[in-house]
Amino acid sequence: MLDALVEAPAFVRNGRMDILAANQLGQALYSEMFASPRRPTNSARFAFLDPRAKTFFIDWEKTADDSVAVLRSEAGRDPHDTDLSNLIGELSTQSEDFRVRWAKHNVRYHDTGIKRIHHPVVGDLELTYEAMTLRGDSELTMFVYTAEPGSKSDEGLRLLASWTATLDSADLARVTGET
């Protein structure tokens, strides 16, 4: 299903914010996040522990708040998830920004909204996203991003798609850190 979406970046994520699969354009959009050798790629870990995140996410404060709220919601849903506990421990010990937000006890599930990013290849993008729980596995969510037709972000997304299409699978893997 992901690979059928060729004009929209898309990825599947679990409640710990591990990105488990992405289409080619999704990998290119989040190339900064996928560049980390650690697997699975985790958007919360990227947001709090990678110095590139504060440049990549134009609204980093909102991204950070949302990330913590999603993790807190997941902790409430599955308090015995060892991998989640380990992630929260890692983020708590390595990020003051995470610790402060975690202490606020905010819970929020965001299934639609706007994500503003600064992509290193195509510049600033303002994308609308929709999140859809997968009926085959209710613990997984697919996110799909689109841009307003004719907008600068639409042009940037098309440029990113064109750039991505020129890469063969080995080049894309090298750019995104996938093996």
Side-chain angles (χ1 to χ4, degrees), residues 42-83:
N42 183 281
S43 56
R45 186 177 287 118
F46 175 75
F48 288 103
L49 302 182
D50 193 313
R52 294 173 298 171
K54 289 187 178 182
T55 302
F56 184 77
F57 293 115
I58 295 171
D59 301 317
W60 182 85
E61 295 283 338
K62 180 180 180 334
T63 297
D65 289 342
D66 289 348
S67 295
V68 171
V70 167
L71 291 176
R72 184 160 288 285
S73 177
E74 182 68 7
R77 190 186 70 72
D78 189 359
H80 304 291
D81 181 339
T82 304
D83 291 332

Side-chain angles (χ1 to χ4, degrees), residues 13 17 66-67 70 108-112 115 129 131 143:
R13 177 185 94 185
M17 302 182 75
D66 289 348
S67 295
V70 167
R108 180 174 179 265
Y109 180 80
H110 55 284
D111 56 3
T112 187
K115 184 70 74 172
Y129 67 87
F143 288 80

Side-chain angles (χ1 to χ4, degrees):
M1 183 168 45
L2 285 173
D3 290 337
L5 295 168
V6 294
E7 294 186 12
F11 64 85
V12 173
R13 177 185 94 185
N14 63 20
R16 289 185 302 276
M17 302 182 75
D18 294 328
I19 298 178
L20 304 175
N23 66 4
Q24 191 173 28
L25 192 50
Q27 289 179 27
L29 178 65
Y30 280 108
S31 59
E32 293 290 279
M33 194 179 311
F34 282 103
S36 169
R38 189 157 184 185
R39 294 293 175 262
T41 298
N42 183 281
S43 56
R45 186 177 287 118
F46 175 75
F48 288 103
L49 302 182
D50 193 313
R52 294 173 298 171
K54 289 187 178 182
T55 302
F56 184 77
F57 293 115
I58 295 171
D59 301 317
W60 182 85
E61 295 283 338
K62 180 180 180 334
T63 297
D65 289 342
D66 289 348
S67 295
V68 171
V70 167
L71 291 176
R72 184 160 288 285
S73 177
E74 182 68 7
R77 190 186 70 72
D78 189 359
H80 304 291
D81 181 339
T82 304
D83 291 332
L84 178 62
S85 295
N86 291 342
L87 175 63
I88 291 166
E90 175 187 358
L91 296 174
S92 295
T93 59
Q94 296 182 33
S95 171
E96 176 71 18
D97 288 319
F98 181 84
R99 277 192 303 278
V100 168
R101 285 170 171 80
W102 187 257
K104 292 179 183 179
H105 296 275
N106 291 335
V107 175
R108 180 174 179 265
Y109 180 80
H110 55 284
D111 56 3
T112 187
I114 302 221
K115 184 70 74 172
R116 295 174 0 116
I117 64 171
H118 176 77
H119 193 276
V121 173
V122 299
D124 292 350
L125 297 170
E126 183 172 297
L127 304 172
T128 301
Y129 67 87
E130 292 283 334
M132 298 155 269
T133 301
L134 300 180
R135 292 183 59 90
D137 188 338
S138 62
E139 294 182 12
L140 299 179
T141 304
M142 183 170 72
F143 288 80
V144 179
Y145 293 81
T146 58
E148 182 69 30
S151 67
K152 184 178 177 196
S153 294
D154 184 44
E155 291 174 21
L157 204 53
R158 289 178 188 277
L159 178 61
L160 185 62
S162 175
W163 173 72
T164 303
T166 65
L167 301 174
D168 64 23
S169 58
D171 288 336
L172 182 62
R174 190 174 58 257
V175 168
T176 62
E178 291 288 294
T179 56

